[in-house]
Amino acid sequence: MTARLAGIAARAGVSEATVSRVLNGRPGVAAGTRTAVLAALDALGYPHPVRERRRGGALVGLVMPELDNPVFPALAQAVGAALARQGCTPVLATQAQEGAAEDGLTAMLVERGVAGLIIVSGQHADTTADPGRYARLRAQGVPFVLVDGFAPEVDAPFVSPDDRAAVRLAVTHLVALGHRRVGLAVGPRRFVPVVRKTEAFLDAVGELLGQPRREAEELIVQSLFTLEGGEAAASALLDAGCTAVVCASDMMALGAVRAVRRRGLDVPRDVSVVGYDDSPLMAFTDPPLTTVRKPVAAMGQAAVRTLLEEIAGTPAARGELVFLPELVVRGSTAAARGA
């Protein structure tokens, strides 16, 4: 065995310890180094280790921000189902409030021997975060795919919904219903999806309503991606005279409905509300929520397919796979009064 390791190491130009890590499927080996060792195995006539020959049974880490928002469990289910079809097992880790940070979770999963990682709405979506964490992760030889958010300086495949198209669909729908004062309730500006939604909103109301950019900016309220955040944002937009509110998540939209009702007004008779995600049960809220459906199933399948290509040693295309959303019209939007 020692002679075999020495021969492989000499052929690949690496240490025997590195060869051992590759043969035993351990983390901490750069992708290029792993490829060199596998090429040496081929040249010397040795079989690839089972872990490299089969993806079946591999553990895949799935890092989520939290599970309170129903869209995240839905995405986790889509990813889990896609992995199961390939014989892989997901290991779910979440960043609960006051809980572990992304770096700690990824380190824990790598230590436990996951074959790869899918990271959803992580630090890659935060324009103020250090992207160097992903270079360090790649240097360990861990394949990963990043979902929701795009950082062009990060060497990784990305999977995202078309946030710009989502907002345009919502604004176009509301303008067609006769609304002329439309507001946008979003999360903190530092996040890539928020930047995209904001820019799309300004473009849409400028084009469809002829609204000056400075005036439109006054109808954008940043808050939290929560029910309470949506309520606070919608309250400010109602004060500004909005008859319709586009929300960056379904949870925010439910908060907006509550804000309208607390003023003795009705949704949709007095104020129309549009959500985003089409989370489970949104068809059964009161009123049923008009929302832009996030292509969760397609995104989950694409993330798994891309990651498995990376694990198999066939690097997926860098850049961003973008999936189109769909407007789902229900009972929370109606024609503006007097329209």
Side-chain angles (χ1 to χ4, degrees), residues 5 24 173 217 220 256:
L5 285 177
N24 289 287
H173 171 62
E217 287 174 342
I220 300 172

Side-chain angles (χ1 to χ4, degrees), residues 137-159:
L137 186 59
R138 182 162 297 284
Q140 295 178 37
V142 182
F144 59 90
V145 174
L146 303 175
V147 180
D148 269 350
F150 179 59
E153 65 274 23
V154 174
D155 177 20
F158 291 81
V159 176

Side-chain angles (χ1 to χ4, degrees), residues 221-274:
V221 178
Q222 298 174 33
S223 187
L224 300 176
F225 288 108
T226 61
L227 190 148
E228 294 78 13
E231 181 177 3
S235 183
L237 292 170
L238 292 174
D239 288 341
C242 290
T243 64
V245 179
V246 176
C247 298
S249 74
D250 288 340
M251 295 297 287
M252 294 187 81
L254 295 180
V257 171
R258 187 163 71 177
V260 172
R261 287 177 170 167
R262 285 191 170 179
R263 297 191 178 212
L265 302 175
D266 180 75
V267 176
R269 186 181 66 240
D270 300 304
V271 180
S272 288
V273 176
V274 180

Side-chain angles (χ1 to χ4, degrees), residues 55-79:
R55 292 194 300 260
L59 297 178
V60 172
L62 175 59
V63 180
M64 309 285 281
E66 40 95 357
L67 296 178
D68 291 337
N69 187 331
V71 75
F72 291 127
L75 181 56
Q77 183 176 21
V79 169

Side-chain angles (χ1 to χ4, degrees), residues 9 16 27 45 86 94 98 112 126 144 153 165 176 181 190 205 207 225 275 300 330 337-339:
E16 293 182 26
Q86 299 297 324
T94 62
E98 304 298 327
R112 296 192 178 185
D126 188 338
F144 59 90
E153 65 274 23
R181 198 153 178 86
R190 71 180 187 273
V205 296
E207 178 183 336
F225 288 108
R330 298 192 181 107
R337 283 192 163 188

Side-chain angles (χ1 to χ4, degrees), residues 200-222:
F201 176 80
L202 293 171
D203 290 343
V205 296
E207 178 183 336
L208 300 174
L209 295 174
Q211 197 168 40
R213 189 177 183 92
R214 180 168 296 180
E215 180 182 328
E217 287 174 342
E218 295 177 355
L219 301 182
I220 300 172
V221 178
Q222 298 174 33

Side-chain angles (χ1 to χ4, degrees), residues 103-335:
D103 294 343
L105 293 176
T106 56
M108 177 270 292
L109 290 168
V110 170
E111 179 64 26
R112 296 192 178 185
V114 295
L117 295 164
I118 296 174
I119 303 174
V120 179
S121 296
Q123 294 298 302
H124 62 281
D126 188 338
T127 59
T128 66
D130 175 19
R133 57 177 37 88
Y134 299 111
R136 293 188 290 272
L137 186 59
R138 182 162 297 284
Q140 295 178 37
V142 182
F144 59 90
V145 174
L146 303 175
V147 180
D148 269 350
F150 179 59
E153 65 274 23
V154 174
D155 177 20
F158 291 81
V159 176
S160 302
D162 192 332
D163 292 304
R164 296 185 181 92
V167 169
R168 187 170 186 85
L169 283 170
V171 173
T172 300
H173 171 62
L174 293 169
V175 170
L177 290 172
H179 293 277
R180 293 297 177 265
R181 198 153 178 86
V182 179
L184 176 67
V186 290
R189 175 75 188 218
R190 71 180 187 273
F191 295 112
V192 171
V194 173
V195 173
R196 291 175 168 179
K197 289 182 174 78
T198 299
E199 291 301 319
F201 176 80
L202 293 171
D203 290 343
V205 296
E207 178 183 336
L208 300 174
L209 295 174
Q211 197 168 40
R213 189 177 183 92
R214 180 168 296 180
E215 180 182 328
E217 287 174 342
E218 295 177 355
L219 301 182
I220 300 172
V221 178
Q222 298 174 33
S223 187
L224 300 176
F225 288 108
T226 61
L227 190 148
E228 294 78 13
E231 181 177 3
S235 183
L237 292 170
L238 292 174
D239 288 341
C242 290
T243 64
V245 179
V246 176
C247 298
S249 74
D250 288 340
M251 295 297 287
M252 294 187 81
L254 295 180
V257 171
R258 187 163 71 177
V260 172
R261 287 177 170 167
R262 285 191 170 179
R263 297 191 178 212
L265 302 175
D266 180 75
V267 176
R269 186 181 66 240
D270 300 304
V271 180
S272 288
V273 176
V274 180
Y276 178 61
D277 287 335
D278 195 25
S279 309
L281 304 180
M282 290 305 108
F284 306 100
T285 58
D286 179 25
L289 188 66
T290 294
T291 186
V292 179
R293 178 176 294 157
K294 192 173 186 177
V296 167
M299 289 173 57
Q301 292 166 12
V304 169
R305 184 170 59 251
T306 302
L307 181 65
L308 294 183
E309 289 176 359
E310 294 271 308
I311 293 173
T314 306
R318 272 23 185 182
E320 189 177 21
L321 288 172
V322 179
F323 289 80
L324 288 174
E326 174 188 0
L327 179 68
V328 181
V329 179
R330 298 192 181 107
S332 65
T333 53

